[in-house]
Amino acid sequence: MSVTSETRAATGRTRADSPTGGAAGRSKRGASPRRGPEAPPAGADGASGPLPASAPRIADALEELAGLSEGGPGVTRLAYSPLERQAHELFASWMRAAGCTVTVDPAGNTIATRPGRSADAPALGTGSHLDSVYNGGRFDGITGVVAAVEVARLLAEAKIETEHPLRFVAFAGEEGARFGQACLGSKLAAGLSSVAELNSRRDRDGVSVADAMSALGFDPARAVANPWRPQDWAAFLELHVEQGSVLERGQISVGAVDLISGSTRLELTLDGQASHTGGTPMRGRSDALAAASEAVLIAEELALDTRHRGTRATVGRLEVYPGSITTIPGRVTLSVDVRDIDADRQRLTAAEIVRRVQAVCDRRRVRLDVRLLADTSPVVLPVWVRRFITTAASELDVSYRVMTSGASHDAQMINRITPAGMVFVPSRAGLSHVPEEWTAPDEIATGVQVLAAGLLRLDRDLTELAGRR
Ligand code: GLV
Ligand code: MN
Ligand code: MN
């Protein structure tokens, strides 16, 4: 991720994007959020000062959501699980209290609507996801939902009316950790999924996405048949933690995302011959784990070579059968996750890994079986939406830079329905998908100010453009 971002920083495109002419916008840390009664009233476009985003309130919301977790380290609140639904219900209750009307779409995405002055205007949206990986942190996705809650609260408190309706969204099932495929809820909203896909993606217990949805009362066929309608939306902004260390290292407050990486995910099954570890001579074995070990290194080596600068390839899951000290491993299944901002290179890398692992398996007399778990293309986010983020940051005197995202995001899918932009806030030590994930509430509050100002500016400018005012 950081390699990718540095490469982009060196292209000079960030300079062209920055009204201040600097690659990283303002060089100092972002304006600290103002809180409480001493905060000045914010103008409808944020120009007369940032909305007084409350860091303690943001921290409280994150804390409460973090409590909705399976046992074990960190947060485990998997895609399409009862715990994820509880988190959505908590979000819904907060949004109702902030004056919104809450609905749940057929895919399980929770949508809180704040009406606009114009009855026929399409909506401006913001939000992210509430599910987590196994033993993840409390910030990935959740931060963008809590940011949406904070924006709704701030607008209600300041009695700010918008021309467009605002929709605050908690997407369902963004993490690929459970089923392999990322962004399930937003993919359905974008009309990019199918019943076949929902039936074929299975978790480690063999439960399909379709089964998991049905168990929660959602009808997979109905979800596939009822995507969001592009005409209902004007634009969407997602705030998210960076999940890398570019912002922290540069002491920059927010990122404005230009590209979101894609991913190709494979499951490789290597079948060798299990046998006695003492009785079987070393030569002539068909040790599936020895072959799998080479596969791990092939993936790493390929992503590290100079032709793949910016590619990331990872074996994150490996299961060894029968998993006994005294038996040669007869079967191994392993996952490969290839991420890239170059769609061709992403797929060619995955194919090259398979080709090389096949050669290893042939040499070791191991049978290789390959299954495509998921395949998502990288996405270029529209420049004009990004400019609302960079302009908002610039006007609030918040430092920013334009950067790529190494991770997948709901905005990647929603961009197919309506133009989308992303605001990143720093991740401590660049850590994510682990319990140590951390972003200071003050840093999130600064991001919320940029998000709110960006939404209000979109509201004003798109209204003018449409001749509504
Ligand atoms: C989503 O968090 C991803 O794995 O990119
Ligand atoms: Mn996320
Ligand atoms: Mn994630």
Side-chain angles (χ1 to χ4, degrees):
M1 158 106 210
S2 55
V3 173
T4 310
S5 303
E6 281 160 12
T7 307
R8 300 279 309 118
T11 63
R13 181 123 66 97
T14 50
R15 256 185 296 281
D17 225 65
S18 158
T20 62
R26 300 269 192 278
S27 58
K28 70 182 180 62
R29 206 78 176 146
S32 57
R34 299 191 186 100
R35 271 173 249 130
E38 78 280 11
D45 58 359
S48 57
L51 286 166
S54 165
R57 190 159 64 182
I58 288 167
D60 285 350
L62 286 164
E63 178 76 26
E64 198 167 344
L65 283 161
L68 298 173
S69 174
E70 291 178 29
V75 174
T76 300
R77 189 169 54 242
L78 300 178
Y80 289 110
S81 66
L83 274 170
E84 187 198 34
R85 292 327 304 168
Q86 279 185 45
H88 277 241
E89 280 154 24
L90 184 53
F91 165 71
S93 71
W94 289 337
M95 298 314 277
R96 282 191 201 100
C100 297
T101 307
V102 179
T103 55
V104 180
D105 76 7
N109 303 309
T110 301
I111 304 171
T113 303
R114 186 176 194 265
R117 274 190 295 254
S118 169
D120 62 342
L124 289 166
T126 186
S128 191
H129 61 96
L130 286 172
D131 60 321
S132 81
V133 300
Y134 296 94
N135 305 120
R138 62 172 62 182
F139 294 89
D140 173 0
I142 328 304
T143 305
V145 177
V146 167
V149 174
E150 183 63 14
V151 170
R153 287 172 171 170
L154 289 167
L155 295 179
E157 285 161 2
K159 299 189 171 44
I160 292 176
E161 287 187 356
T162 54
E163 202 65 25
H164 298 76
L166 297 181
R167 295 212 184 103
F168 304 94
V169 185
F171 289 104
E174 190 270 356
E175 295 290 357
R178 179 175 179 191
F179 295 106
Q181 175 65 56
C183 303
L184 290 161
S186 50
K187 201 174 172 193
L188 280 161
L192 298 170
S193 197
S194 64
V195 173
E197 175 176 51
L198 301 179
N199 280 322
S200 67
R201 310 283 190 244
R202 289 179 184 275
D203 69 8
R204 49 180 75 167
D205 299 320
V207 177
S208 69
V209 180
D211 293 340
M213 289 178 74
S214 302
L216 296 169
F218 298 110
D219 175 351
R222 205 173 142 247
V224 168
N226 290 281
W228 292 2
R229 302 185 324 157
Q231 61 268 35
D232 294 339
W233 297 86
F236 193 92
L237 298 183
E238 179 176 4
L239 182 144
H240 203 281
V241 291
E242 180 201 331
Q243 309 180 278
S245 54
V246 172
L247 294 175
E248 185 182 68
R249 276 193 282 113
Q251 293 218 310
I252 298 164
S253 295
V254 299
V257 176
D258 54 358
L259 295 164
I260 304 179
S261 295
S263 65
T264 299
R265 295 178 185 160
L266 307 170
E267 183 179 82
L268 308 187
T269 302
L270 288 74
D271 272 306
Q273 179 59 59
S275 188
H276 197 289
T277 51
T280 315
M282 288 307 294
R283 299 214 183 277
R285 291 183 176 196
S286 297
D287 182 332
L289 182 56
S293 307
E294 290 201 49
V296 173
L297 298 178
I298 283 168
E300 185 188 51
E301 194 182 297
L302 250 183
L304 276 171
D305 79 23
T306 47
R307 285 182 307 119
H308 293 86
R309 201 182 294 280
T311 307
R312 287 132 290 142
T314 312
V315 175
R317 187 162 163 221
L318 198 130
E319 285 178 2
V320 182
Y321 304 92
S324 159
I325 297 179
T326 53
T327 308
I328 296 167
R331 166 180 275 207
V332 171
T333 60
L334 61 91
S335 65
V336 181
D337 182 12
V338 180
R339 311 248 191 164
D340 213 312
I341 53 167
D342 176 329
D344 288 343
R345 195 174 58 177
Q346 175 186 315
R347 275 126 197 174
L348 287 170
T349 304
E352 179 67 8
I353 289 171
V354 170
R355 196 188 62 74
R356 293 194 192 183
V357 174
Q358 182 65 65
V360 167
C361 288
D362 290 347
R363 173 164 48 81
R364 289 182 173 274
R365 287 181 299 282
V366 167
R367 200 167 66 79
L368 175 65
D369 203 56
V370 181
R371 200 158 71 89
L372 182 67
L373 292 180
D375 187 58
T376 303
S377 295
V379 165
V380 182
L381 296 177
V383 176
W384 73 265
V385 180
R386 191 172 78 230
R387 283 198 197 285
F388 279 88
I389 298 167
T390 55
T391 302
S394 189
E395 285 181 353
L396 294 173
D397 206 18
V398 168
S399 58
Y400 71 87
R401 67 162 285 169
V402 175
M403 59 189 298
T404 59
S405 169
S408 312
H409 296 292
D410 293 307
Q412 192 163 3
M413 301 297 167
I414 294 310
N415 189 53
R416 297 288 286 268
I417 289 286
T418 192
M422 287 198 76
V423 180
F424 272 179
V425 291
S427 293
R428 188 171 70 189
L431 293 173
S432 187
H433 281 186
V434 287
E436 301 93 300
E437 200 173 71
W438 180 259
T439 302
D442 266 342
E443 295 175 311
I444 300 170
T446 299
V448 167
Q449 290 172 339
V450 172
L451 175 69
L455 286 168
L456 292 175
R457 189 169 257 285
L458 274 163
D459 180 55
R460 192 193 65 188
D461 289 7
L462 296 184
T463 299
E464 275 174 22
L465 213 67
R468 284 204 173 80
R469 210 164 40 199

